[in-house]
Amino acid sequence: MVRAEGKTGSRPEVPRRAYYPVLGTSLAANINADFMTVAVPLWAVMLGATPSEIGIMIGARSLLPFFLAIYGGALMDRFGTRRMMLIFTSISTALVPLYPLSPWFPALVALQMMTGLLANLYWIGAQTLIARIGRGDPHYLGMFSFASRVGSIGAPAAIGLIWDLTGHWGAFAASTVTGLALIACTVLVPRWAEFHGLAPDQHPGAADSRGWRDLMPNLRDYIDTFALLAMPAVALGISIALLRHTPQTIQASFYITYLNEIGMQATVIGALISCAEVAGAGGSLLAAPLMRRFPAHWILVVFTMLAIAMVTLTPVLGGIVVLLGVAQVFRGLSHGLLHPATFSVISRALPPQVQARGVALRTTGNRLGAVLLPVVMGFVAEAVGVKISFLVVGCALLAIVAAIGFAVSRNEAFVGPRRAD
């Protein structure tokens, strides 16, 4: 068993045979995601795609997860998280070699839609496993997030170097290998890991939930899942999760193409992204101690604003690598801290048997921003230029976070009942 001591006493024990393989899924999943994050926009630029086409292609990766993440979470609750993760990643890995064989824009959009859906469903499964075995404790969620950041520290620089040395064929071949690593990590997770913290009658696949009808999307699943937003902690966590991912979405699209346009090599771009991942790893470990000392809701609001501000400043920094690196460090620190913080706030508010749907709801919020933002920023970039689009979009996002902070300051669920004057 793994046990950690906190200020409030002993943390829940976690079986090592389950804990370490689940950390491995986080490590491998982010290496795979970062490889694709760098390779796909560079492939699009190589094919001569316009800014709006790049925005549509990047946004397409999040379109199906937006609609089907809840459906995927329900499948995992019914048929087993580990089993569905193996199916999702096997299909996704088989699709990656089709990218260099598909220089046609509509084909790339279709591939982005499919691989985006499968990768997001796999990630929902990995997060569900750690939420169940760690029972929502920010320490274990922070370690899970830390493992994902460690996987991303060298991945962007590595795939950038692979691209510079071998071109698009080598880059997508490397992405396929990371997909195979995902499959291996999932196989190593014990079958009983997902049952940790659940009563026997709550096990995935229990009772009569194995029929073909349960494989089909169900309106009741969506209604029950969206009903979770009635909980203030869940509503705040979902809102912050959506906005937390907006700097990452900008980085995955116009940040990379902007730096490429001002003459930076792919290796340098990858190294800058790695700076954020190094800082993000440290930020993941800061979540638990900060949440013991400060109100969780203010941690979410303040660090979301910091993450957005750092990517908004990109064109103001004049292409100076050192300044871009510093901004990436602060953005990465905030992004890394927010993952376990939002995860813990939502997970602790939900019972174990709906953890997958809770993670899926958070993913739906993430994907909403990831679908809309690249498309909006693409058209803004064509109207006012890529450089100005960073400032326009960034300031709009900061205004939304400020409005959420104001709403939180007036909500009794977070600040307690108001005194009568």
Side-chain angles (χ1 to χ4, degrees):
M1 293 286 185
V2 178
R3 181 192 294 269
E5 299 297 327
K7 187 175 180 179
T8 58
S10 178
R11 299 189 187 279
E13 292 185 345
V14 172
R16 293 180 181 179
R17 285 186 57 203
Y19 181 54
Y20 295 122
V22 170
L23 293 183
T25 66
S26 177
L27 178 73
N30 268 268
I31 293 175
N32 179 264
D34 286 331
F35 273 26
M36 294 296 289
T37 294
V38 175
V40 172
L42 290 176
W43 178 228
V45 170
M46 185 176 175
L47 295 175
T50 65
S52 59
E53 287 177 332
I54 293 173
I56 291 170
M57 192 175 69
I58 299 301
R61 189 169 175 84
S62 300
L63 181 62
L64 291 183
F66 170 64
F67 289 107
L68 296 177
I70 292 173
Y71 165 60
L75 284 180
M76 284 182 269
D77 282 337
R78 288 197 188 100
F79 293 95
T81 305
R82 179 181 177 275
R83 176 187 300 169
M84 299 308 299
M85 287 169 67
L86 284 171
I87 294 172
F88 298 146
T89 194
S90 297
I91 299 174
S92 178
T93 301
L95 292 175
V96 172
L98 297 180
Y99 275 88
L101 298 173
S102 306
W104 189 39
F105 176 71
L108 288 175
V109 171
L111 281 172
Q112 284 286 90
M113 290 172 66
M114 290 303 300
T115 59
L117 171 64
L118 296 165
N120 274 276
L121 293 182
Y122 180 91
W123 187 235
I124 288 171
Q127 292 176 96
T128 300
L129 290 178
I130 193 63
R132 283 182 178 156
I133 68 174
R135 301 182 187 178
D137 190 284
H139 171 78
Y140 296 118
L141 301 182
M143 290 301 297
F144 178 86
S145 184
F146 175 77
S148 73
R149 299 299 164 189
V150 168
S152 296
I153 286 173
I159 194 62
L161 181 61
I162 291 171
W163 182 281
D164 287 339
L165 295 177
T166 66
H168 61 283
W169 284 105
F172 286 109
S175 299
T176 302
V177 171
T178 60
L180 295 174
L182 277 176
I183 297 172
C185 289
T186 309
V187 170
L188 291 174
V189 176
R191 293 178 183 273
W192 47 260
E194 61 189 290
F195 304 152
H196 191 74
L198 293 176
D201 62 343
Q202 297 171 341
H203 289 183
D208 58 350
S209 58
R210 291 179 179 270
W212 281 101
R213 185 172 297 178
D214 293 302
L215 288 171
M216 305 302 295
N218 189 327
L219 179 61
R220 174 52 56 185
D221 290 332
Y222 283 80
I223 294 173
D224 291 345
T225 302
F226 280 112
L228 301 175
L229 290 171
M231 303 178 185
V234 174
L236 174 63
I238 298 302
S239 300
I240 291 298
L242 188 160
L243 291 160
R244 165 188 173 266
H245 267 274
T246 54
Q248 192 82 352
T249 301
I250 294 172
Q251 178 175 279
S253 52
F254 291 95
Y255 182 86
I256 292 174
T257 57
Y258 172 73
L259 295 184
N260 183 262
E261 287 176 0
I262 64 175
M264 288 192 180
Q265 293 184 332
T267 304
V268 176
I269 297 172
L272 284 171
I273 296 174
S274 292
C275 287
E277 299 302 336
V278 172
S284 299
L285 299 180
L286 285 176
L290 281 179
M291 290 178 74
R292 291 196 297 267
R293 291 170 174 79
F294 302 100
H297 51 277
W298 290 126
I299 291 175
L300 300 187
V301 171
V302 170
F303 282 95
T304 301
M305 295 190 77
L306 180 60
I308 293 172
M310 290 301 99
V311 77
T312 301
L313 290 174
T314 297
V316 179
L317 301 179
I320 301 173
V321 175
V322 173
L323 295 181
L324 289 168
V326 171
Q328 281 288 80
V329 167
F330 281 104
R331 189 200 69 77
L333 179 71
S334 302
H335 190 78
L337 186 151
L338 285 168
H339 179 242
T342 55
F343 198 173
S344 179
V345 167
I346 296 171
S347 180
R348 285 181 160 182
L350 299 175
Q353 63 268 28
V354 295
Q355 288 291 332
R357 276 170 255 203
V359 175
L361 182 60
R362 184 162 58 88
T363 299
T364 300
N366 295 344
R367 295 310 96 195
L368 176 61
V371 168
L372 296 178
L373 187 62
V375 178
V376 171
M377 192 167 178
F379 284 102
V380 171
E382 288 194 353
V384 301
V386 174
K387 183 176 181 179
I388 302 300
S389 69
F390 277 85
L391 301 175
V392 172
V393 174
C395 289
L397 292 172
L398 287 171
I400 294 172
V401 181
I404 291 174
F406 177 76
V408 166
S409 70
R410 302 181 66 83
N411 192 310
E412 294 183 359
F414 300 109
V415 299
R418 293 178 173 275
R419 294 181 182 178
D421 293 331

